[in-house]
Amino acid sequence: MSVIDILFRVDSICKKYEKYDVEKQGSQNASSDDSFARLYGWFESQIEAVLHKSEMVAMETNRAAMVAMNAEVRRTKARLMDEVPKLQKLAQKRVKGLSMEELEVRKDLVLALPERIQAIPDGTAAKQAGVWEASTSHKNIKFDTDGQFDDDFFQKSEESNQFRQEYEMRKIKQDQGLDIISEGLDTLKNLAADMNEELDRQVPLIDEIDTKVDRATTELKNTNVRLKESIFKIRSSRNFCLDIILLCIILGIASYLYDILK
Amino acid sequence: MESAAVLAKEVRNWKELSEFSRHASELYTECGRSQPASDALAKGARALEDFAPEEAIQLYTDACDALEEDGKEQMAFDLYRAATSVYIKLEKYADAATFLLRLALAADKCNATHSQCKAYLSAIIVHLYAHDFQQAEKCYNDCCQVEAFLNSDQNRAASRLLSAYTEGDVEEIKRAAQSSIVSNLDHVIVKLARKLPTGDVSAFKMDTKDQEEPLDEDDLT
């Protein structure tokens, strides 16, 4: 037979003889009839999960993960503690098919539960009794630490001393730098303000220059137009060409005389 | 006329120089040109600074008046500053301070707040240099009435200086005087500031204490 066949056979045999399985009967009965047993079963499963988690914490090396898991463990524990009163109430109730002895047993179980829950390690168990007695009034405030408040936790180690010194040195250097920058900025501000005022002073002067130059340009324009007109008049008549010709003749005569005299 | 003044300068004939300058400025004013008028006076004054400072100051004042009449206070700043430097050379500190306040007034009219605050601070320093702490304080209180001065860096520098004086702390005075704000003032004033404190500073501490007692008596009665 192959493995699969074996598995199937085992399953079918189990199903056949289920009614002889005490545990399963017990849990089935609990799930259908007894709310106490149901709740108790749920409790058991929660406690197992929490125990498993705390074991994982013990194996964990990453401190942040440790802290997170411890916090979760504590949360679950707190929830369980809250649910315990409910369980106690249920334990008082009488259920059909249950003998007096079993009732007593249930009560004892319920009583034992809180202790079991508290016993689950969550990283603060070691110091809880001693250190936090003073702060019993602040029950709602919980410090999310690992609880390793040994004596030299808060003592200055060498490293922290060095860090502090370095920090102070850097602060002093920054202050010096900022002083220099502020002086430079003062000078800049002064220069800028002076420039501002100087420009304000120049504005009316430039306005005056503007008007004067405008006047001068208009005058020039007028003069140019008139000059153009007069030249045009001269050019239109023949006098212009005649003038040039006569000028050349005179220059020729002058050079001739100059040559002769030389 | 101006050329005549220049020639007179060459010859070092001071009286004539000032006369020529005045005449030139009068002629300019008649033409309605105030700027050249004040320029003529200023040139004369500059030439006379070394030799007849009183006359120079007179010319400067006239020049400033001419400009102010015409509403051109902006141009007067330089003239005021030159006049104050002459006064300081003559060691007439009260007059110098008065001139600085006139400068501040002119600056106020033109809304030149920076110049105005610098003028106030310079006036306070001049008073302190003259060893006249009461005057300096009065000056400071007057200046605090002016809003523009109240909100300026110069105000802070002035209050620092005065508080250093009241405490009689020489180191603090020196530090306040070397600060960059004071170094931005006119160089003549900066020279004065560097020389602060003059005389005995602890005397000022006594003065302020004496002043307080009569006030207390008045309050009680």
Side-chain angles (χ1 to χ4, degrees), chain A residues 189 197, chain B residues 104-105 107-121 140-158:
Chain A
K189 180 183 167 202
E197 287 183 1
Chain B
L105 185 63
D108 194 31
K109 266 192 251 165
C110 319
N111 290 330
T113 38
H114 196 70
S115 291
Q116 193 186 3
C117 302
K118 282 206 287 194
Y120 282 137
L121 187 59
Y140 178 66
N141 289 335
D142 289 335
C143 302
C144 284
Q145 310 291 338
V146 182
E147 260 184 44
F149 182 69
L150 202 56
N151 299 336
S152 73
D153 295 332
Q154 274 82 4
N155 186 9
R156 265 188 287 126

Side-chain angles (χ1 to χ4, degrees), chain A residues 119-174:
Chain A
I120 299 175
D122 63 355
T124 62
K127 282 285 182 175
Q128 248 182 6
V131 178
W132 298 115
E133 268 173 13
S135 61
T136 43
S137 60
H138 303 284
K139 273 188 207 150
N140 299 326
I141 303 173
K142 291 217 165 86
F143 287 98
D144 202 19
T145 60
D146 286 6
Q148 322 303 351
F149 286 118
D150 301 332
D151 273 331
D152 53 19
F153 186 78
F154 285 127
Q155 235 173 25
K156 293 188 203 173
S157 65
E158 281 208 17
E159 269 187 29
S160 72
N161 258 347
Q162 266 181 356
F163 278 145
R164 193 171 300 243
Q165 269 179 357
E166 221 185 293
Y167 160 73
E168 299 280 332
M169 292 294 299
R170 289 210 185 151
K171 209 161 79 147
I172 291 174
K173 280 212 190 98
Q174 275 182 2

